[in-house]
Amino acid sequence: MKVARKIVIVLQTPKDQQSSVLLTSQDLATELARRGHLVAIVTPDDFPSSRRGAGRLTPLVYPFVVRRWMRQHAVDCDLVVFHSYSGWLAVSTAAAHAVPTVIAFHGLEPLYHQALREEAEQSGGLSWRYRLLQERVMPFMLRTACQHASRVTCLNSVEQDYLIDQGWV
């Protein structure tokens, strides 16, 4: 007899029906529910008060909101899947409650940023704030999330090699 698990998928993207991250997560949730599990998808849209005024600071603010949410709901979860950086602060809270966590990538931000930076250099470059976020802050958040997670998933061998080469997994 299979035991139904309570699984939460935490995305760092809004509930935009054009987003492949959301669509992929909904497909995963549907399949897991078909197998008898209880699945919820949590996004920044579920925390409107925290988004007010965050704008460009969302990558910095949202992980704190997720950690607070995890502190309140860890006992209700059997598994939490964090998309990208969304769980970098919450994985330790989940671990303290013996909740396994997965960091799931649907494209690895540092690889995307590297390509974007090369392209942007031809047209004047990227702002220092964006580079600070993508070259210093984001790698720290992603490394922390990966190193504390139970599992890490990515899309392809290029991303896998990057994660291994950087010492994140």
Side-chain angles (χ1 to χ4, degrees), residues 73-89:
H73 295 91
V75 296
D76 301 322
C77 302
D78 294 315
L79 173 68
V80 181
V81 179
F82 294 107
H83 179 252
S84 185
Y85 66 82
S86 64
W88 81 271
L89 284 171

Side-chain angles (χ1 to χ4, degrees), residues 82-167:
F82 294 107
H83 179 252
S84 185
Y85 66 82
S86 64
W88 81 271
L89 284 171
V91 288
S92 59
T93 301
H97 290 87
V99 177
T101 57
V102 175
I103 301 300
F105 291 105
H106 295 95
L108 198 54
E109 283 88 344
L111 295 177
Y112 170 76
H113 172 69
Q114 181 180 7
L116 182 63
R117 184 170 183 181
E118 290 169 6
E119 183 181 310
E121 285 177 1
Q122 298 172 10
S123 63
L126 301 168
S127 75
W128 68 268
R129 288 181 298 231
Y130 183 79
R131 286 193 338 269
L132 176 66
L133 174 65
Q134 293 300 324
E135 296 170 13
R136 301 282 185 232
V137 178
M138 189 62 66
F140 170 79
M141 293 190 299
L142 296 174
R143 180 180 64 248
T144 301
C146 290
Q147 290 178 337
H148 291 91
S150 306
R151 296 279 188 272
V152 176
T153 66
C154 59
L155 292 179
N156 55 55
S157 61
V158 172
E159 293 178 4
Q160 178 184 356
D161 292 346
Y162 182 90
L163 292 167
I164 292 168
D165 292 345
Q166 295 298 311

Side-chain angles (χ1 to χ4, degrees), residues 7-107:
I7 302 168
V8 179
I9 302 170
V10 180
L11 306 180
Q12 101 280 16
T13 59
K15 288 183 180 171
D16 176 357
Q17 290 301 319
Q18 302 301 314
S19 165
S20 66
V21 172
L22 178 64
L23 296 175
T24 302
S25 298
Q26 287 174 332
D27 287 347
L28 175 61
T30 298
E31 179 58 24
L32 290 169
R34 188 185 70 73
R35 294 176 183 220
H37 302 293
L38 305 170
V39 184
I41 297 176
V42 175
T43 76
D45 293 337
D46 295 309
F47 308 102
S49 63
S50 69
R51 287 188 17 236
R52 199 172 307 128
R56 292 182 180 174
L57 296 177
T58 298
L60 303 175
V61 173
Y62 186 58
F64 287 92
V65 173
V66 171
R67 179 179 62 181
R68 184 176 58 228
W69 180 89
M70 189 78 241
R71 286 179 178 160
Q72 296 169 352
H73 295 91
V75 296
D76 301 322
C77 302
D78 294 315
L79 173 68
V80 181
V81 179
F82 294 107
H83 179 252
S84 185
Y85 66 82
S86 64
W88 81 271
L89 284 171
V91 288
S92 59
T93 301
H97 290 87
V99 177
T101 57
V102 175
I103 301 300
F105 291 105
H106 295 95

